[in-house]
Amino acid sequence: GQNIDQPTEMTATEGAIVQINCTYQTSGFNGLFWYQQHAGEAPTFLSYNVLDGLEEKGRFSSFLSRSKGYSYLLLKELQMKDSASYLCAVRGSKAAGNKLTFGGGTRVLVKP
Amino acid sequence: DAGVIQSPRHEVTEMGQEVTLRCKPISGHDYLFWYRQTMMRGLELLIYFNNNVPIDDSGMPEDRFSAKMPNASFSTLKIQPSEPRDSAVYFCASSLSLHTRTGQETQYFGPGTRLLVL
């Protein structure tokens, strides 16, 4: 099975940096996704890591360490519109159907 | 592209009634997923299809839930009879592929159907 842990809530100031950690224990691993979900809306894709290292996409970066079962999402130059929930999701092995298992989400509140 | 389309966006019904949720995936996507999201349990996969064929329905909570995909552009999730504990947001998502590592397995979500069973 899959077990994914991420903090429930984080608060940061506009213009600052916030790092959202995600740890996972899985029976198989085939990639890790980060999604952003604003209140009342659908999750939208942010980033994808399948190999170790850092993936940068504008103000957002995502890091993966497969040996440690660990990922983080880094949000830089925070803006008020970044207030949302951030979902970490792990894709299981082919034997497990390559299914995505989502963490509970981290609610980020950006204050002025 | 219009993205994944779901209807209705909101549904309020009484316990015991049949509920049908609808989804149109992104054109050309071979995989379609149904998820349920609640505060208590987060986002859970219910069932997914590949080329209109159900592949894994292990997440379907019980026999009251059923899903079909009669063609590549349409899927339904039906709850009969509905119960108050079925109240949740139901998302449909689609992806180009599932088994590659090129990003084609990225799932794109529809706006969701907010279901309230009284």
Side-chain angles (χ1 to χ4, degrees), chain A residues 2-6 22-26 88-90 101-104:
Chain A
Q2 318 278 49
N3 187 39
I4 300 171
D5 291 311
Q6 49 181 133
C22 172
T23 58
Y24 61 90
Q25 296 97 38
T26 62
C88 172
V90 174
T101 301
F102 283 82

Side-chain angles (χ1 to χ4, degrees), chain A:
Chain A
Q2 318 278 49
N3 187 39
I4 300 171
D5 291 311
Q6 49 181 133
T8 305
E9 198 167 287
M10 302 180 74
T11 302
T13 305
E14 192 175 14
I17 298 173
V18 70
Q19 178 175 314
I20 305 169
N21 296 323
C22 172
T23 58
Y24 61 90
Q25 296 97 38
T26 62
S27 55
F29 179 84
N30 236 341
L32 187 143
F33 293 78
W34 283 96
Y35 281 81
Q36 179 190 60
Q37 186 177 25
H38 285 100
E41 297 183 10
T44 56
F45 169 74
L46 284 180
S47 70
Y48 170 60
N49 295 73
V50 65
L51 300 176
D52 290 350
L54 189 68
E55 294 282 342
E56 297 188 83
K57 194 183 289 187
R59 294 188 299 113
F60 294 179
S61 303
S62 57
F63 172 83
L64 175 67
S65 169
R66 288 171 296 171
S67 62
K68 296 182 179 178
Y70 168 69
S71 172
Y72 68 73
L73 179 69
L74 196 69
L75 286 62
K76 294 178 276 191
E77 301 169 19
L78 279 172
Q79 301 176 9
M80 299 299 291
K81 66 177 181 179
D82 297 330
S83 291
S85 284
Y86 293 84
L87 306 172
C88 172
V90 174
R91 192 161 77 101
S93 64
K94 186 175 180 180
N98 281 287
K99 294 183 289 188
L100 274 187
T101 301
F102 283 82
T106 299
R107 191 183 312 168
V108 171
L109 177 61
V110 181
K111 294 185 174 180

Side-chain angles (χ1 to χ4, degrees), chain B residues 33-103:
Chain B
F33 308 83
W34 282 101
Y35 289 89
R36 177 172 67 176
Q37 187 174 39
T38 61
M39 289 292 292
M40 291 296 295
R41 299 175 67 89
L43 196 58
E44 304 173 284
L45 177 67
L46 300 177
I47 185 172
Y48 79 91
F49 295 81
N50 176 27
N51 291 325
N52 315 337
V53 177
I55 301 301
D56 188 328
D57 65 355
S58 58
M60 296 285 262
E62 47 197 277
D63 292 345
R64 297 184 297 106
F65 285 69
S66 62
K68 294 181 179 179
M69 191 165 186
N71 57 62
S73 59
F74 183 66
S75 177
T76 59
L77 178 68
K78 187 175 293 187
I79 309 172
Q80 166 64 18
S82 58
E83 296 182 3
R85 59 188 167 133
D86 301 330
S87 297
V89 182
Y90 290 82
F91 288 105
C92 176
S94 70
S95 70
L96 264 172
S97 179
L98 196 62
H99 304 296
T100 67
R101 288 186 164 192
T102 62

